[in-house]
Amino acid sequence: MFLESECQHLFVETNNIRLHCVTQGEGELVILLHGFPEFWYSWRYQIPVLARHFKVVVPDLRGYNDSDKPESGYDLDTLSADIRGLIDRLGYVKAHVVGHDWGGAIAWHLAQKFPQYLNRLAILNAPHPQRFVQEIASNLDQILRSWYIFAFQIPGIPEWLIQQNLKDFVKAALQGQAVRKGAFSAEETQIYQAALEKPGVVGAALNYYRQLFNSNSWNFGQKTDLVTSPTLVLWGEDDAFLSKKLTEGLDRLIAAPFQLKLVPHCGHWIQQEAPQTVNRELINFLRGY
């Protein structure tokens, strides 16, 4: 059971910005990275369970909720530098990094470019950057699933539309796309809505997508750096946004022990739709069982 009163809220200066973080527990460092359109709260079911064994730190990513919202820095290199700085400022040499959705993209990038910062890597419904580029360039099914990414490229209009219809947007994205419909109560969607209502959040969140096609971070045509950290990928099989095909061929991109576990009858919001399964798998993996 999640009790926010047992957590500590703090602000950490990293990479010339301030990240708001929630932390609980002691021991080896575990960093949990959320996705779009969420914030630290998406890990509410994991924080107390992991905190029995680890020091758990969950930042609001750059631009989200109570973290700083600069105009720039939403490319993978800069977002990864935010997390590297966070590890340093917390007094650690390396961390276990767990990422979902955009947080997973950052985690993949960290593991490829800065392996010295990682112990173990856990990915939840987040495609490997190079695999995603391949699929979005050639797979009609994934192109159709990713229609919103193309829509978000238009300046100004998506922010305005989302802000004008924020309640419906949150409900459609979270409740509407969850396979396990009990994952989001009305109260929980209101909490997400309140976080997105804060000035600058929606525009910052969309900037992640606007960096997607002009970012050197995606290594177009370049040799792919292999992931050298032990890696676990958990994937809700019925993700409406990301094709299960994105899980194919990952073993060729990881030069370390690798596990892929598909979670049936589960959508994109895996750590909230199947929290007990995710908690069990993360504990076993991060403790080296």
Side-chain angles (χ1 to χ4, degrees):
M1 181 178 175
F2 176 64
L3 296 173
E4 190 174 342
S5 59
E6 295 181 359
C7 295
Q8 180 185 0
H9 291 257
L10 67 154
F11 287 88
V12 179
E13 299 272 350
T14 168
N15 199 24
N16 300 313
I17 62 166
R18 257 186 2 150
L19 293 183
H20 168 255
C21 301
V22 169
T23 180
Q24 187 178 346
E26 296 296 333
E28 292 182 0
L29 179 61
V30 173
I31 293 182
L32 307 178
L33 303 176
H34 68 82
F36 172 88
E38 302 168 291
F39 65 114
W40 70 262
Y41 185 73
S42 72
W43 297 104
R44 62 196 175 280
Y45 297 118
Q46 286 69 49
I47 293 168
V49 174
L50 292 173
R52 296 175 199 151
H53 309 281
F54 302 99
K55 180 178 182 68
V56 180
V57 176
V58 192
D60 290 328
L61 294 178
R62 172 185 291 248
Y64 280 94
N65 193 40
D66 292 325
S67 288
D68 282 354
K69 303 161 186 66
E71 290 186 9
S72 61
Y74 298 95
D75 57 284
L76 282 177
D77 284 336
T78 307
L79 294 165
S80 296
D82 292 349
I83 306 308
R84 298 198 322 270
L86 177 62
I87 294 169
D88 289 336
R89 293 303 297 266
L90 292 168
Y92 285 79
V93 176
K94 55 175 57 182
H96 303 292
V97 178
V98 182
H100 169 251
D101 186 80
W102 264 106
I106 297 167
W108 278 122
H109 193 69
L110 266 172
Q112 285 184 270
K113 300 296 184 182
F114 305 98
Q116 68 273 25
Y117 279 88
L118 262 76
N119 277 322
R120 289 171 174 253
L121 171 70
I123 299 291
L124 281 63
N125 281 72
H128 186 287
Q130 281 72 43
R131 284 289 295 118
F132 188 65
V133 167
Q134 290 167 358
E135 290 299 303
I136 206 169
S138 62
N139 183 340
L140 180 59
D141 174 54
Q142 186 56 57
I143 292 169
L144 293 173
R145 290 171 186 257
S146 300
W147 67 268
Y148 60 94
I149 294 177
F150 301 103
F152 289 167
Q153 303 304 313
I154 304 165
I157 296 173
E159 291 96 312
W160 184 83
L161 287 172
I162 290 171
Q163 285 161 348
Q164 295 301 308
N165 304 279
L166 196 54
K167 182 178 180 180
D168 291 338
F169 171 78
V170 172
K171 189 174 180 181
L174 300 180
Q175 289 178 329
Q177 298 300 333
V179 173
R180 304 186 186 188
K181 295 302 182 185
F184 298 101
S185 66
E187 180 185 7
E188 286 164 339
T189 54
Q190 286 171 356
I191 290 170
Y192 279 114
Q193 181 181 338
L196 288 167
E197 283 172 345
K198 295 178 181 179
V201 171
V202 172
L206 295 184
N207 279 336
Y208 281 67
Y209 293 96
R210 289 169 181 156
Q211 288 290 328
L212 200 57
F213 296 115
N214 62 3
S215 172
N216 294 327
S217 310
W218 297 86
N219 292 341
F220 287 102
Q222 299 176 27
K223 187 175 182 294
T224 300
D225 297 309
L226 297 179
V227 172
T228 55
S229 303
T231 301
L232 169 68
V233 174
L234 299 176
W235 199 275
E237 283 192 320
D238 300 316
D239 190 325
F241 305 110
L242 299 168
S243 166
K244 193 168 68 174
K245 199 166 186 293
L246 288 162
T247 64
E248 297 173 4
L250 288 177
D251 55 324
R252 296 192 295 273
L253 301 170
I254 300 167
F258 166 58
Q259 305 171 54
L260 168 64
K261 300 199 174 184
L262 302 176
V263 180
H265 190 62
C266 181
H268 182 68
W269 316 108
I270 180 171
Q271 75 266 38
Q272 295 167 90
E273 292 188 55
Q276 291 178 322
T277 300
V278 168
N279 290 351
R280 181 182 68 246
E281 296 293 346
L282 286 180
I283 288 288
N284 289 341
F285 173 66
L286 296 176
R287 298 190 76 195
Y289 292 161

